[in-house]
Amino acid sequence: MQVSRLKTRILCLMIVNGVIFILVDLSRKLGQDKQSDKVLISDKRFWKKQVVSEAFWNRRQQRLDYFHNPLFTSPVYSNSTSANVEPVVSADWLNDTSPEDPCEPDHAVATQVKDYDSLPERFKDFLLYMRCRSYPMLIDQPGLCSEAPFLLLAVKSLAPHFDRRQAIREAWGRAGLVSGHKVVTVFLLGNAMTTDHFPDLKGMLQHEAGLHKDILQWDYRDSFFNLTVKEVLFLDWLADKCPTAHYIFKGDDDVFVNTRRILTYLSGLKGNKARDLFIGDVITGAGPHRDKKLKYYIPESLFMGQYPPYAGGGGYLYSGEVGLRLRNISQHISLYPIDDVYTGMCLERLGLAPEKHKGFKTFNIEEKYRDNACAYEGLMLVHSRTPQEVIHIWSWLQDPTLNCQTVTKDSK
Ligand SMILES: *[C@@H]1O[C@H](CO)[C@@H](O)[C@H](O)[C@H]1NC(C)=O
Ligand SMILES: *[C@@H]1O[C@H](CO)[C@@H](O)[C@H](O)[C@H]1NC(C)=O
Ligand SMILES: *[C@@H]1O[C@H](CO)[C@@H](O)[C@H](O)[C@H]1NC(C)=O
Ligand SMILES: *[C@@H]1O[C@H](CO)[C@@H](O)[C@H](O)[C@H]1NC(C)=O
């Protein structure tokens, strides 16, 4: 009796299920019939169509993106007439009168930049050589990284700054074994051209390079707008000659760096934090200055838009891995006349955000603390300091009796 009741119950369930199935199937078929004349997938673009930018840098970048975007160059899409793979193409890409050699002056820019003729000379110099990113090396230091450095200090300098370099060597840039870590220091130089009225410093520089074996020099004009050239040349050098460096500090030659503090910080890093490290005095939400009198002025005909977050060029710290990634991505980013903004642009493309660290004081510390040794003990970098100040502050930090327990928090 029990068994037969169970059987009827199962039978009932099966019948109900069957009815539901038929109803669902029927309604689906009816729905399909109603919509059969409609297209289920939209043929419209699901992103906004790009427009060719008015600004020259942006247009150059759009062009680079076009040629490097695997979507547009992959064979699957190359024949496509489909509307959603329709890149923007500017007339001056097709009618390219630029010389084939990127290091020949590119006179086509005179017609491609709206107000070229009225721009200050430095912009014309920049634009004419914007495509050139390789220059011969005049002074190299082979074998400098034969033993992997834990920290590579790369200091942007100018040929005539002999005293700044010497102060750095005697103070925070002392190479060798520091707190048990191998530290290597290099000075990054372009050429101080006689056309810029520099005296001939070649002989002295060669002597210095032989004496200290820490000078890297390339044959290009060392100017403010060419600092980005210095950046990409350094990244190339890093990838070719020093790819084993664990960490890199890159900064100016008029800063004080607390190397020991940096080494302590780096020794404590692990995992992703160590691999993706990029810290400094990060500036966010900035954009180009439009005041012609400013050093950082950028005309609208050159760049439009906001700057990505970037670390002030006075000095920042990153991992060797990030350095190699920056080097790769930089080949896909047009040179920009302001070097730290350019590095921010590269980081953004890598999907990395530079992290603000309060130890980087690129806008100096409060005046009342500047002669206080303890104010320097806890920070990583301060801008700016003369060679004498660098030597002096360093000597304070060497004092074994220095006791900074009592210093107030706001000095840091
Ligand atoms: C692209 O077009 C060429 C010539 O029309 C054809 O031979 C080739 O197979 C096409 N490629 C693809 C991926 O459709
Ligand atoms: C191509 O460029 C040249 C030189 O800039 C210019 O004279 C010419 O009108 C351009 N042609 C087209 C089709 O844009
Ligand atoms: C950058 O260096 C190149 C090579 O020396 C030079 O031709 C160009 O004028 C320089 N650019 C600037 C903006 O000084
Ligand atoms: C950089 O690019 C080279 C060549 O494509 C590649 O072998 C290397 O793995 C890349 N390095 C990084 C860190 O992405």
Side-chain angles (χ1 to χ4, degrees), residues 97-207:
T97 53
S98 303
E100 210 172 307
D101 178 353
C103 291
E104 286 291 307
D106 181 7
H107 293 288
V109 295
T111 54
Q112 293 166 355
V113 182
K114 213 170 46 200
D115 52 357
Y116 181 84
D117 288 331
S118 63
L119 289 179
E121 278 312 305
R122 62 184 188 281
F123 287 100
K124 296 183 185 170
D125 292 336
F126 172 76
L127 290 164
L128 284 171
Y129 293 91
M130 186 172 163
R131 299 184 311 149
C132 185
R133 28 173 105 215
S134 77
Y135 292 96
M137 232 178 157
L138 295 174
I139 302 176
D140 192 6
Q141 304 298 338
L144 204 59
C145 296
S146 48
E147 188 195 324
F150 180 73
L151 177 61
L152 174 67
L153 301 168
V155 186
K156 299 182 270 180
S157 191
L158 283 177
H161 293 174
F162 296 100
D163 59 343
R164 296 191 188 186
R165 291 193 288 278
Q166 190 55 29
I168 291 169
R169 283 183 197 109
E170 292 178 14
W172 59 264
R174 190 174 298 173
L177 220 52
V178 184
S179 320
H181 294 296
K182 185 171 165 66
V183 174
V184 168
T185 301
V186 289
F187 295 97
L188 313 175
L189 303 184
N191 207 346
M193 306 273 200
T194 46
T195 46
D196 285 325
H197 317 293
F198 278 109
D200 182 1
L201 303 169
K202 212 164 121 217
M204 286 170 74
L205 207 61
Q206 260 157 7
H207 176 72

Side-chain angles (χ1 to χ4, degrees), residues 389-407:
E389 287 167 344
V390 163
I391 299 279
H392 200 178
I393 298 168
W394 187 253
S395 73
W396 292 342
L397 297 186
Q398 304 316 300
D399 181 357
T401 64
L402 181 69
N403 183 351
C404 294
Q405 300 302 314
T406 54
V407 95

Side-chain angles (χ1 to χ4, degrees), residues 1 10 33 38 79 81 88 116 173 191 201 316 350 356 406:
M1 201 51 194
I10 289 173
D33 284 346
K38 285 193 183 152
N79 287 2
T81 51
V88 64
Y116 181 84
N191 207 346
L201 303 169
Y316 43 73
L350 289 173
K356 191 174 180 79
T406 54

Side-chain angles (χ1 to χ4, degrees), residues 27-87:
S27 72
R28 218 181 52 194
K29 281 204 175 108
L30 281 171
Q32 248 176 22
D33 284 346
K34 258 197 241 153
Q35 298 193 328
S36 62
D37 53 346
K38 285 193 183 152
V39 183
L40 289 172
I41 299 166
S42 166
D43 61 346
K44 292 210 182 88
R45 282 177 208 95
F46 56 88
W47 62 78
K48 262 203 299 197
K49 189 180 174 177
Q50 247 198 333
V51 287
V52 177
S53 176
E54 289 277 305
F56 185 69
W57 185 92
N58 305 61
R59 218 156 60 232
R60 270 279 163 91
Q61 190 57 47
Q62 286 177 331
R63 179 189 166 130
L64 269 181
D65 290 344
Y66 174 70
F67 288 113
H68 288 293
N69 190 333
L71 261 186
F72 299 150
T73 47
S74 109
V76 177
Y77 291 98
S78 61
N79 287 2
S80 177
T81 51
S82 157
N84 57 7
V85 197
E86 186 189 323

